[in-house]
Each structure stands twice: as C-alpha cells, then as structure tokens.
C-alpha cells in the first residue's frame, strides 16, 4: 500500500470520528442532563460526560404534565388522520392520472404539476383556510395537505410502470376500476405506498408551523406545539407543573431535557427499523424531481 | 378535440371522471383558490369588503416594499443565507458520501451512516431548543467558540454576526447524513472494474477519488444542484422563526419571515401578499433559468 493511501485513510477515519462525536454529543448531553440533579447540573457548567448526580425527578415531573399527554394524543390523531386521508387521496389521484386512455389526462397532469412550481404564498393560503371555517380544527392541518404533489408523481410513476397487459386482461375479464385498483394496482405497488405512508407520518409528527398558525386552542395543540411552549417559550408555570416555587427554578432545566427525551425517544427507537424504507423513499424521490 | 370526442370520452371513462372529482376539488380549493386570492396584493384588502369589494391600487404595495428600508436588508439576508446553504449545505453531503465510500469495513460504514441520519429524525422544535442551549453563554458550542476565537462568551444568538454560521452549521448537522443517501446510492453504480484498472495503473486512492468517484457523482450533483437553485430564495424560514429575535433581525430576517410577521402578526394582509408573490415569482424564475442553463451545459434537465 502506498504511503499516500495510508495518509488518506488516516484523514478519512479522523474526519469521520470527529463527525460521529459532533453528531452524537448533543444527544448524549440531553440524555445526561435529563438524569441530572437540578442544582448540580447548574453548577457543573456545560460539559457533561455523565449525569451530574442521578435523579429521575425530572421524568416524574415531565410525565405528570398533562399537556404532554394531550399533545401526544393530538399528534396521534393527526398522524392517523393524515395517513388515512393522504393515502386515499393520493392513491385515487395517482390512479386516475396513470390511465393513458382518458382524453384530458395530459391537461390534468399539467393542472397538478403547476402547483409544484408556483404557489400563492402564506397569506392568501391562510385567508382561504380561515375563510372555510377551519380555524382551531384538525381539518386545517389535514385537508389543505391531503395531496402532496411530489408523492402523487412518485406513485403515478409506480402505477405507470406496472405491466399494461395485466390490467388489460383484467379489464377484458370485466374488472371495473375499483377492482382493478384494489386487486391489481395496489398489491403490486405496496413498497412505494409504504414509503409514502412513512413520509406522511413523519411530516405530520413534526408539523408545528401550520398548527401554530391555525390552532389557538391549547387543548388541541399537537405535541410539537406543547414542546415549543416548554422548550422555547420557557413557559415556566408549565415546566414546573406540580413543583414548589423554589424547587421550580432548580429542576426547570432538567425537566426540559426530560421532556425532550420523552418526546423524541419513540422516534429514535423506531427509525433504525424503518431506515431502509426511508432510504428507499429518498431514492425514489430523487429519480425524478 | 371536438365536442363529440369529449362526450364519448366522458361516457366511456365515466367512473374515472367521478374518481377525479375529489382530486380536482382539492387542487381548486387549496392550490388554485389561494392563487386567485393572491390578487389582494394589488388591493387595499379589508375582510369586511372581501376580494370583490376591496379597492384596487395596482402596484402600490410592491412599490412601497421595493422602496422600503427593509427591502435590501431582506433580499440581502435571503440571498446570502441561501448562497451559504448552496455552498456548504450542498457540498457537505457530497463530502460525507466520498468519505464513507473510502471506508472498507461494512460495519463501520453502516454505523457512521446510522449515526449521521439520526439528527434528521429529531423535530425542528427540539433541534432549535438544543441550538439555543448549546450556543447560550456557558453552552458547549459557545465554550468552543470562545476558546477558538477569544470571544467574550455572551449568548451567540444575540450576536448578528454569528447567525448565518449557526444557521448553516446546524442545518448541516441535521441534514448532511440524510442528504448523502442519494450520493451513496449513485456511488454504488460505479463499476468495480474501473477501480481495479486504476489500481493496476498505480493510481493512489486520492487519484481514484478524483478521477473515478467524483466524475461518477457528477450527474447526480447536477440534478440536485438544479433542484436546489429553484429553492434559492426559499430558506428554511421555520427554523429562523424559532431562532431569531429583534436584536439579530439585521442578519436573520428574510423575506418569508417578514411576510409572516407583517401578514400574521400585524394583519397587514395585502402588503404581505405582495411580498410573498414577489418571492414566489423570483423562485420560479430561478428554477426556470437553472433548468435552461443545465440543459445547455449537459442536456441534463428536469423536464
């Protein structure tokens, strides 16, 4: 092996090591801080190589905060509703747009694709959604996003790539569109559909901006908005729910970190199992922008 | 297409048209109706009078935006932040893919990949909260920065000069691994024989990286680059909204965050729509030119 190769190897491994450390440290910091004792965390400064002291008080307090649970509940509704609605609408749209025989199909496709390249902007969109009376409803978070045009195009491409003979022979046997869709097209497109389900779920789980615009009622806040209050707006009355005044300041910080762990761990535990589907999705999406 | 063929098509594909109906309704209501609503940019819109009754004032709002003190600041911030993203956020995943490609051990490879994806799955709210904590006086990023530059250790998000760096670096932290997937996939299509031939010719690994791996990535880089260009003025305003504050508006305020403040916080709907429309138009123009340019250079275009 040449010397220059060895040097390159060292540089590569050194850079990747730095990268792994820089990526993981903030996450470990959160974990350590969440198990720390409030006053010792404050005293220890910011370098944490292990929890400062050990306490699960922060978790008890965070879990006792009812806002977290309503937030979780609302987010689960949002994710479930989003999957059902988006999947139905996207499949129907992709099916219609993948039929070659219909006269207006090309025009229809343009009608859809234009929206990817031009949009009216936030304010007209806001006024339309508000005008429909969707303020403070789950509908404002679901209906306007029922079809993601990007997903639609991916799914349509998948439908178009199915062998035409299959569908033709089914139609000769008298299958109507519904049977064709349910018995032939869908089963053959399951991998792509599962990717779209995953992407939709991730979108809805992380949604915060649109809810912050359309949802003012706190009992309807999805998890991300609850988190925003606790983590960014420093709503201390919320953080220290159930704590005395003196105690509140001390454990406020640790409760913040415990809240992050509670809200994020489910996702981080699940994602390695779903990783390959997400990767597949990223690739499907990249083929045709 | 004449009327008879339309009627015949309609009859033959009756059920397809029925299925298409909800799709058309969706696009009309949530995509085209707002486009129509965007005409309030040319009005003094008041909700009482509605779009039909409000007074038309032509380009007045555009003019006052272009002449305002904010205009150049907003445009400058937007363009700079986007250019930095284009330069660093765009190249980081490519570099990462190249680095991982050089690793021979499969386990180390997949370990690095799994770790580098991880931040992508953390919500923006949590990431923003982390950024705030770590760049706050006493936060580890702040300590590192102070140690490296001899800064005074005050809250980094209160210093206008640091915002762009924080924004771009945190974007890289969160997205680099994820965005490298596409390049990693492109790398798997490079034929093994090319490397073997190069090795026999005595090419070093660095030479192979420059002469085989990088050219293999080039088409993918081009396509990703065009896509990126189309979003040049579309910086991640959601993150800026979560991170910025009036002290650093000078570097952090971009067109979209201004639209948000004017429109939704000050209820200045017409003015805000005008700015939003301006932003959309420029984006469209950028996408079209990037596409045309790329078609000219290497026949590689999106449509």
């Amino acid at each position: 092996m040449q010397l220059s190769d060895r040097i390159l190897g060292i540089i590569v491994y050194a850079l990747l090591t730095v990268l792994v450390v820089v990526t993981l440290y903030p996450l470990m910091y959160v974990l350590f801080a969440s198990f720390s004792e409030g006053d010792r965390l404050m005293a220890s400064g910011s370098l944490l190589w292990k929890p400062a002291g050990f306490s699960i008080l922060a978790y008890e307090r965070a879990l006792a905060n009812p806002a977290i649970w309503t937030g979780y509940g609302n987010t689960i509704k949002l994710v479930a509703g989003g999957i059902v609605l988006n999947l139905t609408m996207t499949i129907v749209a992709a099916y219609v747009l993948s039929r070659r025989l219909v006269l207006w199909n090309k025009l229809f496709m343009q009608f859809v694709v234009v929206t990817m390249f031009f949009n009216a902007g936030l304010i007209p969109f806001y006024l339309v959604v508000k005008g429909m009376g969707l303020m403070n409803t789950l509908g404002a978070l679901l209906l306007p996003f029922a079809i993601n045009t990007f997903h639609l195009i991916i799914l349509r491409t998948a439908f178009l790539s199915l062998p035409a003979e299959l569908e033709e022979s089914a139609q000769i046997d008298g299958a109507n569109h519904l049977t064709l869709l349910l018995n032939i097209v869908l089963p053959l497109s399951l991998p792509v559909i599962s990717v779209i389900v995953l992407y939709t779920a991730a979108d809805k789980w992380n949604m915060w901006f649109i809810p912050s615009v359309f949802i003012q009622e706190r009992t309807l806040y999805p998890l991300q908005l609850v988190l925003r209050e606790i983590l960014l707006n420093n709503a201390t009355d919320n953080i220290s729910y159930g704590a005395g005044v003196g105690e509140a300041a001390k454990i406020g910080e640790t409760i913040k970190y415990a809240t992050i762990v509670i809200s994020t761990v489910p996702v981080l535990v699940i994602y390695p199992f779903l990783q390959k589907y997400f990767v597949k999705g990223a690739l499907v999406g990249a083929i045709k922008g | 297409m004449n009327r008879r063929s339309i009627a015949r098509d309609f009859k033959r594909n009756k059920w397809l048209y029925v299925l298409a109906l909800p799709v058309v309704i969706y696009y009309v209501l949530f995509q085209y109706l707002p486009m129509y609503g965007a005409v309030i940019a040319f009005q003094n819109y008041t909700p009482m009078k509605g779009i039909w009754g409000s007074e038309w004032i032509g380009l007045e709002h555009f003019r006052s935006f272009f002449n305002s003190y904010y205009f150049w600041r907003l445009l400058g911030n937007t363009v700079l932040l986007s250019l930095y993203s284009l330069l660093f956020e765009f190249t980081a995943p490519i570099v990462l893919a190249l680095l991982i490609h050089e690793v021979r051990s499969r386990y180390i490879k997949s370990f690095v990949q799994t770790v580098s994806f991880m931040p992508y799955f953390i919500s923006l709210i949590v990431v923003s909260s982390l950024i705030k904590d770590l760049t706050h006086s006493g936060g580890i990023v702040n300590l590192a920065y102070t140690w490296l530059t001899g800064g005074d250790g005050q809250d980094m998000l209160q210093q206008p000069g640091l915002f762009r760096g924080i924004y771009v670096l945190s974007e890289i932290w969160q997205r680099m691994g994820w965005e490298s997937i596409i390049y990693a996939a492109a790398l798997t299509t490079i034929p093994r024989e090319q490397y073997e031939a190069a090795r026999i010719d005595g090419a070093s690994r660095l030479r192979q990286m420059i002469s085989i791996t990088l050219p293999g990535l080039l088409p993918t880089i081009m396509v990703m680059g065009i896509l990126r260009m189309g979003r040049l003025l579309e910086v991640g305003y959601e993150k800026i909204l979560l991170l910025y504050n009036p002290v650093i508006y000078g570097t952090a305020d971009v067109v979209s965050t201004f639209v948000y403040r004017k429109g939704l916080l000050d209820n200045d709907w017409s003015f805000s729509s005008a700015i939003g429309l301006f932003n959309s138009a420029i984006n469209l123009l950028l996408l079209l030119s990037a596409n045309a340019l790329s078609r000219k250079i290497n026949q590689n275009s999106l449509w």
Side-chain angles (χ1 to χ4, degrees), chain B residues 213-233:
Chain B
T213 315
L214 210 52
L217 276 185
L218 213 58
T220 317
I221 294 175
M222 287 298 285
V223 172
M224 299 308 284
I226 304 170
L227 280 173
R228 188 89 210 185
M229 285 294 269
R231 294 185 287 125
L232 192 61
L233 288 192

Side-chain angles (χ1 to χ4, degrees), chain B residues 185-217:
Chain B
L187 285 177
T188 60
T189 62
I190 299 175
R192 287 270 129 220
E193 300 85 62
Q194 285 192 20
Y195 290 105
E196 276 155 33
R199 246 195 313 274
I200 291 165
D201 291 346
S204 69
R205 273 169 66 184
L206 187 65
R207 185 81 245 169
Q208 293 171 33
M209 193 198 260
I210 293 168
S211 308
I212 303 174
T213 315
L214 210 52
L217 276 185

Side-chain angles (χ1 to χ4, degrees), chain B residues 11 21 90 97 105 109 125 139 178 183 191 215 222 235 278 292 295:
Chain B
K11 210 167 156 194
L21 202 61
F90 182 69
S105 149
K109 227 177 203 168
I125 302 276
W178 181 252
Y183 301 109
M222 287 298 285
V235 281
F278 165 76
R295 193 180 318 196

Side-chain angles (χ1 to χ4, degrees), chain B residues 8-211:
Chain B
R8 203 172 50 210
D9 183 67
F10 190 79
K11 210 167 156 194
R12 198 180 52 191
N13 293 307
K14 192 172 45 180
W15 290 108
L16 276 183
Y17 282 92
V18 173
L19 281 176
L21 202 61
V23 181
V24 175
I25 291 174
Y26 166 79
Y27 276 97
V28 169
L29 281 187
F30 294 109
Q31 302 283 348
Y32 285 91
L33 199 58
M35 285 189 205
Y36 167 69
V39 299
I40 66 168
F42 306 95
Q43 298 181 327
N44 262 334
Y45 173 79
T46 52
M48 300 288 286
K49 293 184 189 152
I51 294 182
W52 290 101
S54 291
E55 175 201 1
W56 290 89
I57 56 161
L59 296 173
E60 191 56 45
H61 289 306
F62 292 88
R63 216 168 289 140
S64 72
F65 175 55
F66 296 150
N67 289 328
S68 76
Y69 153 73
Y70 302 109
F71 178 69
W72 290 109
R73 185 175 92 176
L74 291 170
L75 201 64
N77 286 346
T78 312
V79 170
L80 273 182
L81 214 47
S82 299
L83 278 181
Y84 286 152
S85 301
L86 195 65
L87 279 177
F88 300 109
E89 230 187 289
F90 182 69
T91 45
I94 301 171
V95 174
L96 178 63
L98 289 176
L99 287 177
I100 293 180
H101 191 63
E102 291 300 317
V103 173
R104 293 286 174 262
S105 149
R106 267 199 20 236
Y107 297 103
I108 296 182
K109 227 177 203 168
S110 74
F111 171 73
V112 174
Q113 259 168 346
T114 304
V115 168
S116 69
F117 289 176
M118 210 179 268
Y120 183 80
F121 291 91
I122 298 173
S123 83
L124 201 53
I125 302 276
V126 169
V127 169
S128 303
S129 153
L130 276 179
I131 295 171
K132 279 195 170 174
D133 280 348
L134 298 181
T135 61
H136 202 271
S137 53
I140 185 164
V141 174
N142 198 328
L143 288 182
Y145 176 76
T146 312
W147 182 71
L148 283 172
T149 65
D152 55 5
Q154 62 160 304
D155 189 349
M156 292 168 82
L157 280 172
Q158 299 290 338
Q159 305 177 47
L162 298 181
F163 181 77
R164 291 188 188 115
I166 295 174
Y167 176 89
V168 171
L169 283 175
S170 61
E171 280 294 284
I172 291 177
W173 180 78
Q174 190 168 19
R175 308 184 61 96
M176 172 169 65
W178 181 252
E179 286 174 3
S180 72
I181 293 171
I182 287 152
Y183 301 109
L187 285 177
T188 60
T189 62
I190 299 175
R192 287 270 129 220
E193 300 85 62
Q194 285 192 20
Y195 290 105
E196 276 155 33
R199 246 195 313 274
I200 291 165
D201 291 346
S204 69
R205 273 169 66 184
L206 187 65
R207 185 81 245 169
Q208 293 171 33
M209 193 198 260
I210 293 168
S211 308

Side-chain angles (χ1 to χ4, degrees), chain A residues 149-208:
Chain A
T149 304
F150 196 57
H151 295 171
L152 165 57
I153 289 174
I154 291 171
L155 198 57
R156 172 179 178 262
T157 312
F159 287 178
L160 279 175
S161 67
L162 299 176
E165 303 81 42
L166 257 179
E167 298 167 27
E168 278 158 21
S169 69
Q171 269 171 329
I172 291 167
D173 291 344
N176 60 23
H177 286 300
L178 201 64
T179 15
L180 194 61
L181 177 61
L182 292 180
N183 295 339
I184 295 178
V185 175
L186 283 191
L188 291 173
S189 315
L190 275 183
V192 183
I193 288 175
S194 62
V195 166
I196 289 176
V197 168
L198 228 48
Y199 269 48
T200 309
D203 273 358
K204 298 294 173 194
W205 176 275
N206 286 323
M207 213 179 193
W208 75 272

